[in-house]
Amino acid sequence: MEFRRLGRSGLTISEIAYGNWLTHGSQVEEDAALACIRAALDAGITTFDTADVYAQTRAEAVLGRALKDERREGLEIFTKVYFPTGPGQNDRGLGRKHIMESIDNSLRRLRTDHVDLYQAHRYDHTTPLEETMAAFADVVRSGKAHYIGVSEWTADQLRAGHALARELRVPFVSNQPQYSALWRVIEDEVVPASEELGIGQIVWSPIAQGALTGKYRPGAPLPAGSRATDDKGGADMVADWLREEVLEQVQQLHPLAEQAGLSMAQLAVAWVLQNSNVSAAIIGASRPEQVTENAGAAGVRLDADLLKAVDQVLDPVAQRDPALTVGYKGHS
C-alpha cells in the first residue's frame, strides 16, 4: 500500500480507502462485510470511509464492530453528516442541532471516541454556512474529530467554507466528489480551487459503479449478481453508464489494461490516482477478492501515452460539465 497526505494537512492516509456505501448493512450479510474489511486491512488499507445515512445508520455500526479490536491509532476513520437519519425536522441538514447530535450518534455506532475526518455530506442551502462551520469547529475543539471535510461541494462553496474555517482556526482539508475516467466534472473548477486552498480529493466511484470493469457488455444480458441487477439502490446508480455507446467505448480499454499489466478495475482506480490533487480513491466491495484486486492499483504509475490513450477512448462519452457537481443548487 502507498500513502499520501490529505491535501496540505499533516494527516497521512492510504491512497486506497475502503468505503461501505451500498454494501454493509444492506447489500451484503455481516459475515461478508467483515471479510471485506479484513481483506482491506490485509491489503494495508488504513483509511475507512462511511456515513451516518448509509443503510439507515447500520453501515457505521458494522464498521465499528469490524474495527473494534484494531489499534485505533493505526486507522483513519471518516464519516459524514447531512442526509436524514430520523423522522424529525432536525434529523437532517447541517444545522447546529443535527451536527452536534449526529457526531455523538456516529461515535457510538463506530465504537470510538473520535473520527479522524468529519464531513458535510452535501452543501446545505437552507442553513447559514456560518452556523455550519461554527458547529464543525466545536466538534473539532471537543476532540470528537481531528479534521473537517465536505462532499460534492462546488469551487465557490469550497472557497467560502475554507475562509470561515480559517477564521475559526479549524483544519478544512478535504472534498469527497465522484470522480472517474467517465465522470470528470471536478477537473475544471473544483480541482484548481482545491489546489489553491490545500484541499485534497477523496474520490468515490472510481470504477463508475462497476461500468469501467468491462463486465457490462454492449448487447449482452446484465451479469447475475452485479450492481446493475440489485434492487436496493445499486441498479439506479449504475444505470447512467449502461448506455450502448458508453459500454462500447469501455470495451476498447481492455487492450490498454493488458498493456499495463492491470485488470480493468485496477486501471480505473490507478487512473484517478494519477491526479495529484487526489489523496485517496474509495473502493467498495461485496466480496473480499474485489478488495484485493482493487487494492492492487496502489502505487501504479501510468505513463503519459497510456493516459492519453484512455482519454481518447472515453472522451466521446465522458462527462466534464462542472454544473453537474451535486452541490449546485437544485441538483441532487
Side-chain angles (χ1 to χ4, degrees):
M1 183 52 57
E2 297 287 326
F3 297 86
R4 300 183 179 195
R5 288 294 175 92
L6 182 49
R8 284 202 295 266
S9 79
L11 182 64
T12 299
I13 63 176
S14 53
E15 67 178 19
I16 307 290
Y18 182 82
N20 66 356
W21 175 54
L22 287 179
T23 51
H24 300 180
S26 54
Q27 280 187 342
V28 302
E29 298 298 327
E30 182 148 348
D31 285 350
L34 296 179
C36 288
I37 292 172
R38 174 47 52 193
L41 292 165
D42 289 345
I45 291 172
T46 60
T47 304
F48 294 85
D49 180 80
T50 188
D52 56 6
V53 73
Y54 293 168
Q56 299 174 314
T57 75
R58 294 190 299 275
E60 282 186 328
V62 171
L63 186 62
R65 288 192 289 273
L67 297 177
K68 65 182 176 63
D69 295 326
E70 299 298 317
R71 179 176 174 270
R72 181 64 183 88
E73 293 83 356
L75 303 173
E76 303 85 47
I77 299 176
F78 303 167
T79 194
K80 311 181 197 73
V81 58
Y82 170 79
F83 287 108
T85 51
Q89 291 302 304
N90 289 302
D91 290 327
R92 66 198 69 197
L94 296 179
R96 181 179 181 83
K97 176 176 169 63
H98 185 51
I99 289 173
M100 303 309 285
E101 292 170 351
S102 292
I103 185 62
D104 287 339
N105 289 330
S106 288
L107 294 179
R108 174 178 50 79
R109 289 187 290 264
L110 288 165
R111 302 190 181 200
T112 184
D113 62 359
H114 72 280
V115 291
D116 297 278
L117 180 69
Y118 199 40
Q119 303 160 98
H121 208 159
R122 291 294 184 269
Y123 187 88
D124 187 350
H125 293 278
T126 68
T127 299
L129 184 58
E130 293 80 1
E131 176 180 339
T132 295
M133 298 309 293
F136 274 121
D138 286 343
V139 169
V140 171
R141 292 192 184 107
S142 70
K144 295 176 182 178
H146 292 327
Y147 298 87
I148 59 173
V150 300
S151 177
E152 294 289 358
W153 282 26
T154 66
D156 287 345
Q157 291 160 359
L158 290 172
R159 287 191 178 95
H162 190 270
L164 286 169
R166 203 153 115 186
E167 286 179 24
L168 293 162
R169 301 183 69 82
V170 290
F172 179 176
V173 300
S174 66
N175 179 46
Q176 188 174 131
Q178 181 179 181
Y179 185 51
S180 72
L182 283 170
W183 188 264
R184 303 177 62 168
V185 304
I186 65 170
E187 291 181 343
D188 288 349
E189 295 181 6
V190 166
V191 166
S194 297
E195 290 173 337
E196 164 196 329
L197 301 171
I199 289 171
Q201 310 301 316
I202 306 164
V203 304
W204 60 273
S205 197
I207 59 174
Q209 301 298 316
L212 284 168
T213 66
K215 65 184 174 184
Y216 302 112
R217 297 181 176 275
L222 297 175
S226 66
R227 181 162 291 174
T229 62
D230 174 59
D231 61 0
K232 297 176 183 174
D236 292 341
M237 294 302 302
V238 74
D240 285 346
W241 300 122
L242 297 183
R243 303 188 310 275
E244 290 292 297
E245 63 270 25
V246 175
L247 299 182
E248 288 168 359
Q249 296 303 117
V250 168
Q251 290 304 310
Q252 296 180 41
L253 295 177
H254 279 288
L256 300 180
E258 290 176 8
Q259 171 191 329
L262 302 170
S263 70
M264 289 277 281
Q266 289 169 337
L267 175 63
V269 176
W271 185 91
V272 302
L273 290 171
Q274 306 311 296
N275 187 318
S276 61
N277 190 233
V278 171
S279 297
I282 300 172
I283 61 168
S286 55
R287 302 189 308 278
E289 55 268 27
Q290 293 172 323
V291 179
T292 304
E293 177 187 351
N294 292 342
V300 170
R301 300 294 174 259
L302 304 178
D303 64 45
D305 289 342
L306 180 58
L307 290 171
K308 184 177 179 180
V310 172
D311 286 352
Q312 288 175 337
V313 168
L314 295 182
D315 189 61
V317 292
Q319 293 281 6
R320 298 174 182 270
D321 184 0
L324 293 173
T325 304
V326 296
Y328 273 80
K329 194 168 184 179
H331 195 285
S332 62

